[in-house]
């Protein structure tokens, strides 16, 4: 059975219940969704903590997959778990601001790496200053790549509310970043 070609709707039941394809189906879900979730986590908790958050997300998914009733899309449920894990990680370390998260070593030019690290730190600083509902919407859209309807499902709000939060969040980010010398 070529599990890689199956949509989430077919993989989830295979991964949720004991059987010959459980582990393989779960592995396909992990490989399929981890890059997007990692970008989301890195944007919210910093690159140094993103792996830990991702591990927490997948452990939670594995433990609770049987309870997923497919009333919402799997990606909506998955992103809600990821968002909760990010909030939990941030709450566990209130003394470490996002802009102080250590940067991983890079094989690229040290000058460019420094510039990118500085830009990431400024962006993390600005994101941390947004109201949580705006930060969640902006992060899910810009780092998670979700569309408006998916974000609405994750956050449990209407699409119009998502658009409003995104608009306000982006405007606030522009203002904060401009104040620290970052121009779009």
């Amino acid at each position: 059975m070529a599990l890689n070609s199956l949509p989430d709707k077919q993989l989830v039941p295979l991964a949720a219940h004991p059987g010959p394809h459980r582990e393989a189906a779960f592995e396909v879900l992990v490989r399929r969704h981890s890059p997007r979730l990692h970008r989301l986590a890195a944007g919210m908790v910093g690159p140094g903590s993103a792996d830990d958050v991702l591990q927490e997300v997948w452990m939670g998914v594995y433990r609770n997959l049987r309870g997923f009733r497919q009333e919402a899309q799997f990606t909506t449920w998955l992103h809600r778990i990821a968002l909760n894990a990010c909030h939990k990680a941030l709450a566990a370390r209130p003394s470490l601001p996002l802009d102080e998260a250590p940067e991983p070593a890079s094989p690229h030019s040290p000058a460019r790496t420094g510039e990118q690290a500085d830009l990431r730190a400024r962006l993390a600083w600005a994101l941390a200053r947004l109201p949580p509902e705006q930060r969640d919407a902006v992060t899910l859209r810009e780092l998670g790549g979700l569309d408006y309807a998916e974000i609405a499902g994750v956050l449990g709000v209407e699409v119009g509310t998502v658009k409003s939060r995104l608009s306000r969040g982006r405007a606030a980010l522009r203002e904060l970043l401009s104040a620290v010398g970052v121009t779009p």
Side-chain angles (χ1 to χ4, degrees):
M1 176 183 288
L3 296 176
N4 285 332
S5 62
L6 293 179
D8 290 348
K9 195 167 189 76
Q10 292 175 324
L11 279 173
V12 169
L14 291 173
H17 301 288
H21 302 293
R22 182 179 191 182
E23 299 301 320
F26 188 76
E27 186 177 324
V28 170
L29 291 170
V30 170
R31 277 185 305 196
R32 183 177 291 169
H33 297 287
S34 284
R36 201 177 209 188
L37 294 176
H38 193 275
R39 280 192 307 275
L40 174 73
M44 290 192 72
V45 300
S49 298
D51 290 339
D52 293 337
V53 167
L54 199 58
Q55 182 177 358
E56 185 69 30
V57 167
W58 286 115
M59 286 177 10
V61 168
Y62 192 80
R63 280 191 307 266
N64 298 303
L65 197 54
R66 265 189 206 187
F68 176 62
R69 296 183 304 272
Q70 295 196 22
E71 293 171 358
Q73 289 184 25
F74 176 70
T75 55
T76 301
W77 183 69
L78 184 59
H79 280 82
R80 181 74 251 172
I81 292 171
L83 208 53
N84 288 342
C86 289
H87 288 294
K88 182 179 172 185
L90 288 172
R93 59 166 190 176
S95 62
L96 178 63
L98 289 175
D99 57 341
E100 291 181 19
E103 277 298 313
S106 172
H108 305 292
S109 153
R112 182 164 167 88
T113 300
E115 290 171 3
Q116 289 175 341
D118 181 57
L119 184 58
R120 273 195 295 274
R122 290 175 191 223
L123 180 57
W125 172 84
L127 276 170
R129 275 140 188 85
L130 291 180
E133 63 277 355
Q134 291 176 10
R135 181 177 55 238
D136 290 348
V138 169
T139 304
L140 288 169
R141 177 70 179 156
E142 303 304 335
L143 301 175
L146 275 65
D147 64 31
Y148 295 143
E150 291 172 318
I151 296 168
V154 170
L155 298 178
V157 298
E158 298 294 323
V159 171
T161 303
V162 169
K163 290 179 181 181
S164 173
R165 288 178 182 178
L166 282 170
S167 177
R168 289 185 183 128
R170 287 173 177 154
L173 277 177
R174 272 191 300 278
E175 186 176 316
L176 287 164
L177 291 171
S178 292
V180 294
V182 177
T183 54

